[in-house]
Amino acid sequence: MITVSNVSLRFGKSALFEDVNVKFVPGHCYGLIGANGAGKSTFLKILTGELEPTKGEVIITPGERLSFLKQDHFQYDDQTVLDTVMLGNPRLVEIMQEKDALYAKADFTEEDGIRASELEAEFANMNGWEAESDAASLLNGLGIETELHYKLMKDLDGSAKVKVLLAQALFGNPDILLLDEPTNHLDLAAIAWLEEFLINFENTVIVVSHDRYFLNKVCTQIADIDYGKIQLYAGNYDFWYESSQLMIRQMKEANKKKEEKIKELQEFIQRFSANASKSKQATSRKRALEKIQLDEIKPSSRKYPYIDFRPERSIGNDVLEVKNLSKTIDGVKVLDNITFTLTAEDKVAFVGSDELAKTTLFQILSGEMEPDEGSYKWGVTTSRAYFPKDSSAEFQDDYTITDWLTGYSAIKDVTYVRGFLGRMLFAGDDGMKKINVLSGGERVRCMFSKMMISGANCLIFDEPTNHLDMESITALNNGLIKFPGVLLFSSRDHQIVQTTANRIMELIGGKLIDKITTYDEYLASDEMAMKRQVYTAAAELEDN
């Protein structure tokens, strides 16, 4: 259990937290939520002891082990993958190393025997004999294949390192588990595995995530950071959202009734205060008026952009025809004879772990890359807008945001352009910011402005939720649902895929699986599961 008592954190005169009191108990998974800048990651650092609060204390039940997801991808470069996972339980590793040193001694003494016996007992109590198999099981569950377990960490790519560090945090059944954005860089299959792991985890979990579906699946409590305080709500993210909105509505309705009562009392007092026969009633009403207190409704620190993609013209039936498309990159055939046709009703989610294949296809369809073989043809009534996974090339110049967006607008009126920026929370002088100093989230919102102002009727998105806060993801989700045109997109956000797509495509080993269905139905389909296994086995055979 973690007890947070009167914790405050100040930077100069500014307070990030003020007198926070909260308990995190075993058996619950707490979703730590709040607007960007509210202090979610900072609060986790206070819980781990990495950051000292200005006031107050954090108390962890004696003897309990706390584990947290590390973000340093280079810390373990000289360790094997399996050893890196087991380092999630430092005491177990210490025991193993001390045992090995003792048994390697040429002059093994009686005292050494006694010490070895003590270590063996502690080792067995920590399930040390199953440590390697437990670590391997975690890695396999997250999609790190067995042949990689004995490689050095420095030989892995970035996404694989993220999975290994996550396995390290989960290793050894920690009493308290802290996870900061654990689904970042995970494919949907790995996220699904993590969801099941946390659902079955019996100790204390505190997780920060922008994935609403993930929070709904795993959380039993929501810890909401707002106004420098932390408020606990029973239930998952959706329950918190409904509860918090209901609370605000109830407070507003209560204030409205109070304001009507105040007006009624004031009118009576004004009318009869000078009337001798009514003076006692007027005095009584003055006392009643003084007792009425309006509920304070603070404005939330959360801000929701308004995302609305409106096509300038309707789209015809002939949207896109792809024939026998192939592309090889660095000797690997990432697209192998891909063929499909889109109609005006299609909203297609590209799922699966092969991010390079999805990005390559999007780049070809947007005209940024040429295929090696095959062809594609957009319908004459289509107009396209493309959101690349990496948009950094868009933001190298010294333009202001307003000037940058004006360059993409058919209407060069500044007021018109600023209207689109305002919807993306760039208000007032924000439009004068230089594009080369924008944060990741600001760049994404700029790209949404560009796509909205284009009036395109076919939108292509390659992982658009990267760098976004929960509020912006929610706004994007709503914007995609009501978009009347054609969508092609990839996203790790389960809820966006499930609520937006009516057609699922998955690229495995360069081959395409294409199914008109929802995402949840696709995942549950035995037919699709068998097809994925066949394609995966064929791809592995070709690699070998």
Side-chain angles (χ1 to χ4, degrees):
M1 182 172 72
I2 302 182
T3 302
V4 179
S5 180
N6 297 316
V7 163
S8 298
L9 183 66
R10 289 183 167 273
F11 299 102
K13 294 182 179 179
S14 176
L16 189 59
F17 303 112
E18 196 72 58
D19 294 324
V20 171
N21 292 279
V22 63
K23 285 184 180 180
F24 300 103
V25 300
H28 286 289
C29 178
Y30 298 87
L32 187 63
I33 65 171
N36 274 1
K40 301 182 291 294
S41 296
T42 301
F43 186 71
L44 290 186
K45 289 178 181 178
I46 291 174
L47 297 183
T48 64
E50 184 180 340
L51 186 63
E52 283 291 325
T54 307
K55 186 183 77 170
E57 60 180 348
V58 174
I59 302 170
I60 297 176
T61 302
E64 291 194 347
R65 182 170 70 87
L66 182 148
S67 180
F68 61 99
L69 177 58
K70 295 180 176 66
Q71 301 296 335
D72 186 349
H73 296 179
F74 305 100
Q75 182 177 351
Y76 303 97
D77 272 0
D78 293 328
Q79 299 282 348
T80 67
V81 168
L82 204 61
D83 286 345
T84 299
V85 175
M86 290 193 291
L87 281 167
N89 190 341
R91 178 55 189 156
L92 179 64
V93 174
E94 288 174 6
I95 293 171
M96 294 169 69
Q97 290 173 345
E98 189 175 350
K99 278 174 49 186
D100 290 344
L102 282 173
Y103 292 139
K105 290 178 68 174
D107 53 343
F108 193 82
T109 65
E110 184 178 346
E111 289 78 8
D112 292 334
I114 294 171
R115 179 55 181 162
S117 177
E118 293 171 347
L119 291 172
E120 291 289 2
E122 189 176 356
F123 184 72
N125 191 50
M126 297 176 75
N127 293 320
W129 296 112
E130 289 80 37
E132 283 200 17
S133 62
D134 288 346
S137 178
L138 290 171
L139 289 167
N140 290 332
L142 287 167
I144 302 297
E145 297 160 352
T146 304
E147 56 264 29
L148 297 178
H149 293 186
Y150 295 95
K151 285 186 175 292
L152 294 179
M153 284 287 284
K154 64 184 177 183
D155 296 328
L156 270 59
D157 62 27
S159 61
K161 283 185 177 181
V162 169
K163 292 180 178 181
V164 176
L165 293 178
L166 178 56
Q168 182 192 76
L170 305 178
F171 176 72
N173 195 37
D175 300 289
I176 300 163
L177 180 58
L178 306 183
L179 300 173
D180 192 357
E181 297 291 356
T183 61
N184 279 3
H185 308 292
L186 294 187
D187 56 71
L188 290 168
I191 293 173
W193 179 89
L194 178 61
E195 288 167 356
E196 288 303 312
F197 181 93
L198 294 179
I199 287 169
N200 295 311
F201 189 74
E202 296 180 352
N203 298 332
T204 305
V205 182
I206 304 172
V207 57
V208 173
S209 177
H210 288 147
D211 188 327
R212 297 157 300 161
Y213 182 88
F214 177 77
L215 292 176
N216 280 330
K217 285 278 285 185
V218 305
C219 291
T220 59
Q221 300 263 327
I222 294 295
D224 179 31
I225 302 180
D226 213 352
Y227 323 116
K229 302 289 186 181
I230 297 182
Q231 177 71 42
L232 289 183
Y233 294 81
N236 61 16
Y237 177 81
D238 281 349
F239 190 82
W240 161 82
Y241 183 78
E242 293 299 329
S243 299
S244 60
Q245 295 301 304
L246 176 62
M247 186 185 303
I248 292 172
R249 287 198 299 270
Q250 289 175 336
M251 291 172 69
K252 286 181 177 178
E253 289 171 5
N255 277 353
K256 185 178 180 181
K257 291 179 180 179
K258 289 178 183 179
E259 286 167 351
E260 290 172 353
K261 185 65 175 177
I262 288 170
K263 184 178 179 181
E264 177 188 325
L265 293 172
Q266 287 174 335
E267 288 176 350
F268 186 93
I269 294 166
Q270 185 177 5
R271 184 177 178 186
F272 295 110
S273 59
N275 187 322
S277 64
K278 299 279 189 177
S279 61
K280 286 186 177 180
Q281 294 179 44
T283 302
S284 174
R285 280 166 172 75
K286 283 182 180 178
R287 294 195 194 99
L289 182 62
E290 291 170 356
K291 292 179 181 178
I292 298 176
Q293 297 289 329
L294 295 177
D295 293 323
E296 183 183 6
I297 304 177
K298 297 179 180 178
S300 175
S301 58
R302 292 179 171 85
K303 294 181 179 180
Y304 289 83
Y306 179 68
I307 299 177
D308 187 16
F309 303 105
R310 295 184 184 180
E312 289 182 352
R313 62 175 178 175
S314 298
I315 196 168
N317 290 327
D318 296 329
V319 176
L320 175 65
E321 185 177 19
V322 176
K323 286 186 177 180
N324 308 120
L325 213 63
S326 295
K327 184 69 177 180
T328 297
I329 296 178
D330 295 332
V332 178
K333 202 164 192 177
V334 295
L335 300 177
D336 187 1
N337 202 33
I338 301 300
T339 297
F340 62 89
T341 301
L342 297 188
T343 69
E345 303 300 320
D346 284 326
K347 290 181 168 58
V348 186
F350 287 80
V351 302
S353 60
D354 195 342
E355 296 187 14
L356 178 59
K358 289 179 281 187
T359 296
T360 300
L361 179 61
F362 290 158
Q363 287 176 331
I364 290 173
L365 296 180
S366 63
E368 293 194 356
M369 182 185 290
E370 290 294 325
D372 296 335
E373 300 173 24
S375 63
Y376 66 94
K377 182 180 179 182
W378 288 100
V380 294
T381 61
T382 63
S383 54
R384 282 86 60 198
Y386 172 48
F387 181 100
K389 181 180 291 186
D390 181 6
S391 62
S392 57
E394 282 269 6
F395 300 96
Q396 301 299 319
D397 294 317
D398 198 34
Y399 299 129
T400 65
I401 297 175
T402 302
D403 290 342
W404 174 82
L405 187 59
T406 301
Y408 292 106
S409 175
I411 300 172
K412 301 302 181 183
D413 179 68
V414 172
T415 303
Y416 174 78
V417 172
R418 280 181 175 266
F420 285 89
L421 291 174
R423 296 176 195 174
M424 291 296 102
L425 307 178
F426 295 108
D429 291 340
D430 287 343
M432 302 309 294
K433 279 186 177 181
K434 300 289 187 179
I435 61 170
N436 55 12
V437 299
L438 297 179
S439 67
E442 288 173 328
R443 288 181 178 184
V444 171
R445 287 188 277 120
C446 280
M447 291 298 294
F448 290 163
S449 297
K450 175 187 172 183
M451 297 180 80
M452 286 193 294
I453 211 168
S454 74
N457 55 26
C458 294
L459 304 180
I460 303 174
F461 291 94
D462 193 356
E463 298 293 347
T465 62
N466 290 350
H467 306 293
L468 290 184
D469 58 19
M470 193 88 75
E471 293 70 41
S472 296
I473 292 172
T474 300
L476 174 64
N477 198 167
N478 293 336
L480 294 181
I481 289 172
K482 66 184 180 182
F483 177 62
V486 169
L487 287 175
L488 296 87
F489 70 98
S490 65
S491 176
R492 296 187 187 92
D493 190 293
H494 188 119
Q495 190 161 334
I496 284 182
V497 177
Q498 171 61 19
T499 58
T500 302
N502 57 20
R503 186 172 175 181
I504 303 296
M505 294 188 185
E506 183 171 4
L507 291 160
I508 303 176
K511 300 293 187 180
L512 180 70
I513 301 176
D514 182 2
K515 188 75 172 176
I516 297 175
T517 184
T518 67
Y519 183 55
D520 284 345
E521 289 169 346
Y522 179 79
L523 291 176
S525 168
D526 291 338
E527 175 194 352
M528 291 302 104
M530 289 180 64
K531 203 166 188 179
R532 289 199 296 274
Q533 288 176 358
V534 170
Y535 279 17
T536 301
E540 290 175 350
L541 186 62
E542 187 173 322
D543 289 342
N544 294 331

